[in-house]
Structures are given as C-alpha cells and as structure tokens.
Amino acid sequence: MDLVDRWAALAGPHTRHIGTELDRRYGEPHRRYHTRAHLTAVLDLVDELA
C-alpha cells in the first residue's frame, strides 16, 4: 500500500488530497530527515499503537 492509500485509510477518504500533498512534499530532494521513509515510519507506529 502506498503512502497516500495509508493516509486515506487512517484519516478517511475525504483527506486523500492531504495525503497526496504530504507524499509530494516529503519526496522533495532537499529533505534529509522528514522524508517518505520518515512518514512511513510514523504511519507504522500509528498502526502499531492503534
């Protein structure tokens, strides 16, 4: 499942546009820490704690 799908599953389908924007921004080449891998780790932790 990609990040946008995971976001929509967590926050609801009406927030898919937010997930799309987060995916775009977290994929920017200048990012060193807050990357897609970081967002994936956060979503993994949310799933674990849910």
Side-chain angles (χ1 to χ4, degrees):
M1 182 180 303
D2 74 359
L3 286 175
V4 177
D5 291 336
R6 288 187 70 186
W7 178 268
L10 174 67
H14 62 285
T15 67
R16 188 170 197 80
H17 66 285
I18 297 169
T20 300
E21 185 67 13
L22 284 171
D23 184 45
R24 185 185 69 77
R25 290 185 181 219
Y26 275 62
E28 293 171 342
H30 69 276
R31 293 190 178 266
R32 298 291 180 254
Y33 178 74
H34 292 108
T35 62
R36 285 184 177 118
H38 176 80
L39 184 54
T40 298
V42 169
L43 292 174
D44 289 345
L45 187 57
V46 168
D47 287 343
E48 182 181 325
L49 296 173

